[in-house]
C-alpha cells in the first residue's frame, strides 16, 4: 500500500494499468513548492514504490499550472526556528525535498509543465527521464535569494548537461526555455501542449516497461553506479550485473531471436 499523509492533500497518486504509478505534487497555490509534509510524502511514497513488485515505473508531475518551484521558502525559516535540522547524506537518505537522496531500482519519468526551477529542477534531475511542454521554464531561481542547491543539483546538473553549461545556469540563475533545455540535454522529449503531456509520458512509460525488466534494471544500475567508480571497477561491476541478467534473461532472449521472435520491433511477451 502506497503511504500518504492523510492529514494533508499535498500529493495525489494514481495507478495506471496496475504497474505505472503517477505521483502529482498538489500545491498549486504555491506553484507546487515543497513543504515538510510534502517532502515526507515524497520520501515515503517512493520508498514504498521501490518495494512494490507490481509497480514497474513512476511518473512524477505537478498538478495544476506548474511542475515544482522548489522548497517552500515561507516554511524554511519556521522549520529552522522549530529546531528542524538538515541532516547530511551520511546520516540519512531523507533529503530536504524528501526523495532526492534515494537510489531506486526502478525508473522515474518527470512530466514537466510550467515552472521547473530551484529545488523543482533538482527533483527533475533526480528522475531518469524528463518530458516537458513547450511552455516549460527551467532555472536555478533560488540563486537570487541566496538559497543553495542542496538536493543534488550541483552534482546531477553537470553530469547531465556538462560542466560548462551547468555553471552557466548555476552562476546566473537565469531562465531556460524548453527549446534550450532540449538542446543542452536537460529534457528528453518536448510536447506541444499540456493536454499531450501525460499521454506522452504514459506512452513512454509503457515503452520502457515492455522491455525485459531484469536486464533493464541491471543496465540502469550499472549506468548509475559507474559515477562513483574508477574505470576498471565500473567495468567489473557492469560485468557482474550483466552476467547475472544475461543468464536469467539474455540467454532466453538470444534463443528467442534465433527462433525469429522479437525482430523488427515486435515485443517478446516473456523471457
Amino acid at each position: 500500500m502506497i503511504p500518504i499523509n492523510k492529514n494533508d492533500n499535498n500529493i495525489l497518486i494514481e495507478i495506471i494499468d496496475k504497474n505505472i504509478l503517477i505521483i502529482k505534487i498538489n500545491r498549486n497555490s504555491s506553484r507546487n513548492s515543497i513543504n515538510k509534509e510534502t517532502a515526507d510524502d515524497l520520501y515515503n511514497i517512493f520508498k514504498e514504490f521501490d518495494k512494490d513488485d507490481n509497480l514497474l515505473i513512476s511518473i512524477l508531475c505537478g498538478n495544476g499550472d506548474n511542475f515544482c518551484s522548489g522548497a517552500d521558502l515561507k516554511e524554511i525559516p519556521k522549520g529552522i526556528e522549530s529546531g528542524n535540522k538538515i541532516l547530511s547524506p551520511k546520516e540519512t537518505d531523507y533529503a530536504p525535498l524528501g526523495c532526492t537522496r534515494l537510489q531506486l531500482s526502478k525508473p522515474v519519468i518527470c512530466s514537466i509543465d510550467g515552472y521547473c526551477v530551484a529545488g523543482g529542477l533538482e527533483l527533475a534531475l533526480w528522475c531518469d527521464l524528463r518530458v516537458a511542454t513547450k511552455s516549460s521554464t527551467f532555472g536555478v531561481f533560488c540563486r537570487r535569494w541566496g538559497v543553495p542547491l542542496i538536493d543534488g543539483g550541483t552534482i546531477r546538473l553537470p553530469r547531465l548537461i556538462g560542466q560548462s553549461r551547468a555553471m552557466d545556469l548555476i552562476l546566473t540563475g537565469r531562465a531556460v526555455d524548453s527549446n534550450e533545455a532540449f538542446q543542452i540535454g536537460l529534457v528528453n522529449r518536448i510536447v506541444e501542449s499540456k493536454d499531450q503531456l501525460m499521454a506522452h509520458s504514459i506512452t513512454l512509460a509503457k515503452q520502457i516497461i515492455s522491455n525485459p525488466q531484469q536486464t533493464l534494471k541491471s543496465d540502469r544500475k550499472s549506468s548509475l553506479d559507474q559515477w562513483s567508480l574508477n574505470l576498471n571497477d565500473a567495468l567489473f561491476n557492469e560485468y557482474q550485473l550483466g552476467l547475472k541478467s544475461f543468464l536469467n534473461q539474455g540467454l532466453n532472449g538470444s534463443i528467442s531471436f534465433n527462433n525469429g521472435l522479437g525482430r523488427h520491433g515486435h515485443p517478446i511477451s516473456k523471457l
Side-chain angles (χ1 to χ4, degrees):
M1 186 71 179
I2 296 294
I4 194 164
N5 189 340
K6 301 300 182 183
N7 296 321
D8 63 64
N9 197 32
N10 294 323
I11 297 289
L12 304 176
I13 60 173
E14 181 181 2
I15 296 176
I16 303 292
D17 293 345
K18 297 182 180 181
N19 46 34
I20 300 172
L21 175 66
I22 298 177
I23 302 170
K24 296 182 179 181
I25 305 169
N26 187 41
R27 303 188 74 232
N28 193 43
S29 62
S30 64
R31 291 181 173 173
N32 287 332
S33 63
I34 307 296
N35 61 5
K36 179 65 165 60
E37 291 78 15
T38 310
D40 289 346
D41 285 340
L42 288 172
Y43 176 81
N44 292 324
I45 289 169
F46 274 113
K47 291 270 280 192
E48 191 62 29
F49 159 72
D50 208 43
K51 293 188 294 185
D52 192 325
D53 292 335
N54 294 317
L55 298 173
L56 301 180
I57 195 166
S58 178
I59 299 172
L60 177 63
C61 61
N63 195 40
D65 302 323
N66 299 283
F67 168 62
C68 178
S69 60
D72 190 336
L73 298 186
K74 295 178 182 178
E75 297 288 329
I76 290 178
K78 297 177 185 177
I80 298 299
E81 291 167 3
S82 299
N84 294 335
K85 296 181 179 179
I86 300 175
L87 298 176
S88 79
K90 292 184 177 181
E91 297 171 288
T92 179
D93 62 358
Y94 179 91
L97 296 178
C99 60
T100 55
R101 292 176 185 169
L102 297 179
Q103 299 183 42
L104 304 183
S105 64
K106 308 171 188 179
V108 179
I109 296 170
C110 190
S111 190
I112 301 163
D113 183 52
Y115 281 109
C116 174
V117 298
L121 178 61
E122 293 184 286
L123 277 176
L125 294 170
W126 173 74
C127 298
D128 294 87
L129 298 172
R130 285 149 293 280
V131 180
T133 62
K134 278 194 170 182
S135 59
S136 298
T137 300
F138 304 83
V140 185
F141 283 15
C142 51
R143 178 60 56 240
R144 66 189 68 169
W145 292 286
V147 176
L149 296 171
I150 199 170
D151 280 82
T154 63
I155 300 152
R156 294 187 177 107
L157 189 60
R159 290 180 176 183
L160 189 66
I161 67 173
Q163 182 76 8
S164 180
R165 288 185 171 124
M167 277 300 180
D168 181 359
L169 303 191
I170 291 170
L171 298 181
T172 67
R174 67 180 178 87
V176 174
D177 63 23
S178 59
N179 286 329
E180 182 181 356
F182 179 76
Q183 290 169 2
I184 65 178
L186 184 53
V187 300
N188 304 90
R189 309 276 196 282
I190 296 179
V191 297
E192 288 289 332
S193 67
K194 185 177 179 179
D195 293 338
Q196 300 171 328
L197 181 60
M198 185 51 65
H200 189 96
S201 299
I202 291 173
T203 298
L204 178 59
K206 289 180 178 179
Q207 179 185 357
I208 291 170
I209 64 177
S210 70
N211 294 310
Q213 288 298 292
Q214 182 176 351
T215 304
L216 181 146
K217 290 180 181 179
S218 173
D219 285 354
R220 176 183 177 274
K221 178 171 171 53
S222 177
S223 295
L224 295 172
D225 287 351
Q226 59 91 18
W227 287 108
S228 61
L229 302 173
N230 64 43
L231 178 59
N232 285 337
D233 288 342
L235 289 170
F236 183 68
N237 186 53
E238 179 191 59
Y239 163 77
Q240 287 186 306
L241 292 168
L243 181 61
K244 183 177 180 180
S245 66
F246 175 76
L247 293 176
N248 288 336
Q249 283 193 327
L251 184 59
N252 288 336
S254 62
I255 294 171
S256 296
F257 176 84
N258 288 328
N259 291 332
L261 299 178
R263 301 187 185 188
H264 309 296
H266 297 298
I268 301 175
S269 58
K270 281 191 177 181
L271 290 177

